[in-house]
Amino acid sequence: MKKGFIFDLDGVIVDTAKYHYLAWKKLAQSIDVHFSEAENEQLKGVSRVKSLEKILEWGNKTISESDFMKLMALKNDDYLGYINTMNESEILPDVLKVLKFLIEKEQGIALGSASKNARTILKKVNLFHHFEAIVDGNDVVKGKPNPEVFLSAAKALNINPEHCIVFEDSVAGIQAANTANMISIGIGESSVLQEADFVFADFTHINSQFLNELINK
Ligand code: B16
Ligand code: MG
């Protein structure tokens, strides 16, 4: 049966969290806010607007709307500098192997990401052409944990949500997949991704038997 396999981007296909961290850190420093790697963890899967709101909240800062827009643009320019250096070598281990296996089995493949830079990143790492549907931060109004991004991806694939499987590294993303009535597969630590139906440290732990079971369920 044709199932819909929906991939998150940051933390699932590539590790762009390290670039987000460097860019947010530089920005936080410029406005005298301390920003740690642990706090960066809390920004995973969170939109750019919400991320800046959180950083300002942590630093107890209030700024005008125009300054807010300027800071967001500055952060993104810096982030894009890092993205520009990316190539295929940054695809996380066995992601391509799993993608190719699912494509060979004629499954629906979609991207469901909060990032407004998702299309640029997919092109940089040469994966764009593998996706039948792409839904990213430009296409949704409500961010994860709202299920909008995954429901839109299912719709674009023309597959019922209950026949979709989501790969996600963030708690908010797992909650979004569960609310969408999809099978949620956490990529990361099981202690963090407790709400997921299944958790794997990375794609090297996902074998073809498991994928076949999902397809034939
Ligand atoms: P951008 P994902 C998310 O991507 C990131 O996890 C999150 O840290 C970031 O703030 C968000 O994208 C927005 O990214 O600034 O590029 O629009 O994990 O949903 O693929
Ligand atoms: Mg992610």
Side-chain angles (χ1 to χ4, degrees):
M1 178 178 195
K2 185 174 177 179
K3 297 285 175 68
F5 286 83
I6 307 173
F7 292 73
D8 172 53
L9 180 66
D10 293 348
V12 167
I13 293 178
V14 284
D15 177 22
T16 34
K18 61 187 180 208
Y19 301 138
H20 280 298
Y21 175 58
L22 292 171
W24 279 131
K25 196 176 169 180
K26 187 172 163 190
L27 184 112
Q29 267 167 357
S30 76
I31 53 168
D32 268 338
V33 174
H34 175 76
F35 177 61
S36 69
E37 218 160 342
E39 281 160 339
N40 191 54
E41 279 297 306
Q42 294 182 46
L43 304 184
K44 282 186 177 174
V46 175
S47 73
R48 200 181 309 165
V49 172
K50 284 261 177 312
S51 299
L52 183 52
E53 281 173 0
K54 274 178 181 275
I55 290 169
L56 292 171
E57 199 185 303
W58 293 330
N60 240 334
K61 298 260 173 195
T62 316
I63 58 170
S64 69
E65 207 177 317
S66 69
D67 281 346
F68 190 97
M69 298 312 282
K70 274 184 211 153
L71 290 182
M72 286 227 304
L74 271 176
K75 185 269 172 179
N76 198 50
D77 282 351
D78 203 29
Y79 178 65
L80 285 176
Y82 294 111
I83 296 311
N84 207 28
T85 67
M86 291 181 81
N87 59 38
E88 286 171 47
S89 70
E90 294 212 35
I91 300 171
L92 290 169
D94 280 3
V95 167
L96 194 56
K97 188 173 148 192
V98 169
L99 270 174
K100 283 185 172 166
F101 179 87
L102 296 172
I103 289 165
E104 203 171 295
K105 297 271 175 182
E106 298 181 338
Q107 299 300 297
I109 309 289
L111 189 89
S113 165
S115 174
K116 291 189 170 178
N117 298 301
R119 286 173 171 84
T120 307
I121 296 168
L122 283 182
K123 284 177 189 161
K124 288 299 291 181
V125 299
N126 198 25
L127 286 180
F128 191 82
H129 57 287
H130 288 310
F131 289 84
E132 194 179 325
I134 294 177
V135 180
D136 69 14
N138 299 293
D139 309 310
V140 294
V141 178
K142 298 175 195 132
K144 301 166 186 176
N146 188 285
E148 185 185 1
V149 64
F150 296 139
L151 290 173
S152 298
K155 202 170 176 194
L157 288 174
N158 205 15
I159 295 177
N160 285 336
E162 56 270 32
H163 293 146
C164 288
I165 297 106
V166 172
F167 295 107
E168 248 295 342
D169 72 312
S170 72
V171 174
I174 292 294
Q175 290 168 341
N178 291 343
T179 305
N181 219 359
M182 299 176 177
I183 293 177
S184 56
I185 302 186
I187 301 295
E189 286 179 37
S190 45
S191 57
V192 178
L193 304 171
Q194 284 166 6
E195 293 169 61
D197 293 318
F198 304 92
V199 181
F200 296 95
D202 57 45
F203 281 84
T204 65
H205 293 88
I206 300 182
N207 60 30
S208 51
Q209 189 195 333
F210 177 71
L211 293 173
N212 277 327
E213 278 167 18
L214 291 173
I215 293 168
N216 300 319
K217 215 167 189 161

